[in-house]
Amino acid sequence: MIREVKKTFRSPASPPPAALAIKVRTLAPSMSRSVGQVAQVLVGDPAGCAVLTVTALARLAGTSEATVVRTARILGYSGYRDLRVALSVLAAQQESGQAPAVTSDIGVDDPIADVVAKLARDEQRTLAETAACVDTRQLAAAVAAASTARRIAVYGIGASCLVGQDLAQKLLRIGLVAHAHTDPHLAVTNAVLLRHGDVAIAITDSGSTEDVIEPLRAAFERGATTIAITGNPVGPVARYADHLLTTTTTRESELRPAAMSSRTGQLLLIDCLFVGIAQRTYTTAAPALAASYEALAHRHVPNPRQPPHD
């Protein structure tokens, strides 16, 4: 039976205070002008906004009280009261130096040592921000669905395709039936054969890549459980995702395109997925992983410096 698309409101766990600025940056491209105005005022002066009433904040942002409340919900809070609490904590963290702003733009003449240091900072920042924003309830639900899936299909294009192949390979090593589909046409023909009990995973940083959305939509309509890993949780891909996992990225620069920074957060989430699945299927996953290691052991070239075993 083909499912009808339903746009449901997700009520994720409130993000930690330090993740507020991250959420604003991630969602900014999809925000309306009025909501964006409120969001920018919030991150610009969290301490000042924390003591304002909803009416005073609306006046400061040049918008309505309803828009302020809507902004709070878009950012993951149940209402303005919870948002004010987060603003107070964030302001205290910034005052104590716990939430420094880091920029690591790489110049064309930067020494290689500086490139290493800046990239390392950006990678660490992306990992920390993605971990701070991840909705663990959504992640747990995705793990539960994949652990019992008849088969798992992964869809991604470009850099996201490489991440999808990494996930599929990991899942195959623990005995699950998983395939990463890189050809858009084959992806769709695979998706229309999925059904209840199967899992489809779409990986798209923009959340609007049609070659990824199309197979996910087909899988969704045919009853498969669908998971989206995206940097844009309000993008078109979210309409067809039963479970939504959000990544964050560092700011894009000329020498570091989005494909590089988005990949870091995506890899963290697929590792979380894989480990969670391996935990739930441990009795079969552990022997399968051991068998795969043994099957490949003879392909490793011995280290001549390593003494032989007794």
Side-chain angles (χ1 to χ4, degrees):
M1 179 181 295
I2 295 181
R3 282 197 286 178
E4 293 182 359
V5 177
K6 295 182 179 180
K7 185 60 177 175
T8 56
F9 174 74
R10 290 184 177 84
S11 178
S14 296
L20 178 58
I22 308 167
K23 293 280 286 186
V24 170
R25 191 175 79 235
T26 300
L27 297 174
S30 60
M31 287 180 175
S32 67
R33 186 178 63 84
S34 57
V35 169
Q37 287 175 196
V38 176
Q40 291 305 322
V41 169
L42 293 174
V43 297
D45 183 16
C49 292
V51 299
L52 296 178
T53 64
V54 65
T55 303
L57 179 58
R59 187 180 303 115
L60 179 63
T63 186
S64 66
E65 295 178 14
T67 300
V68 172
V69 174
R70 186 164 68 253
T71 302
R73 290 176 177 168
I74 288 173
L75 293 175
Y77 301 94
S78 60
Y80 184 59
R81 179 178 297 180
D82 286 348
L83 175 60
R84 285 183 64 180
V85 172
L87 288 169
S88 298
V89 176
L90 176 60
Q93 289 176 342
Q94 290 180 337
E95 185 176 350
S96 64
Q98 294 180 34
V102 179
T103 57
S104 302
D105 292 336
I106 298 173
V108 68
D109 296 322
D110 279 355
I112 194 64
D114 289 353
V115 171
V116 171
K118 290 180 178 182
L119 284 176
R121 277 201 301 270
D122 280 347
E123 298 284 343
Q124 291 167 358
R125 180 184 180 188
T126 299
L127 291 171
E129 291 182 350
T130 297
C133 286
V134 69
D135 187 333
T136 53
R137 291 183 298 183
Q138 290 284 318
L139 178 60
V143 165
S147 298
T148 57
R150 186 177 67 97
R151 56 177 169 170
I152 300 170
V154 188
Y155 309 121
I157 296 294
S160 296
C161 161
L162 302 176
V163 176
Q165 289 176 319
D166 185 53
L167 175 59
Q169 177 185 332
K170 286 182 169 74
L171 296 175
L172 285 170
R173 292 285 296 271
I174 59 172
L176 299 185
V177 179
H179 298 285
H181 298 274
T182 59
D183 181 285
H185 293 175
L186 290 177
V188 174
T189 56
N190 161 266
V192 298
L193 298 176
L194 298 181
R195 60 180 187 268
H196 179 74
D198 297 327
V199 166
I201 302 174
I203 306 175
T204 164
D205 181 55
S206 69
S208 58
T209 305
E210 182 58 30
D211 285 338
V212 176
I213 295 173
E214 187 177 2
L216 190 74
R217 178 173 59 236
F220 178 88
E221 290 173 347
R222 283 155 180 81
T225 299
T226 53
I227 301 166
I229 298 175
T230 180
N232 183 10
V234 295
V237 74
R239 295 186 63 204
Y240 308 104
D242 293 310
H243 308 299
L244 197 61
L245 304 178
T246 306
T247 63
T248 62
T249 62
T250 56
R251 290 179 178 84
E252 184 174 0
S253 64
E254 181 182 8
L255 298 179
R256 192 169 194 257
M260 288 180 62
S261 54
S262 64
R263 183 188 59 204
T264 302
Q266 291 171 351
L267 287 170
L268 173 62
L269 287 183
I270 68 159
D271 279 353
C272 292
L273 265 176
F274 170 74
V275 172
I277 294 167
Q279 287 177 317
R280 290 179 68 98
T281 62
Y282 184 77
T283 55
T284 55
L289 193 59
S292 69
Y293 277 125
E294 184 178 353
L296 297 175
H298 72 282
R299 295 182 177 273
H300 294 287
V301 177
N303 185 352
R305 297 182 180 181
Q306 184 175 349
H309 295 290
D310 293 334

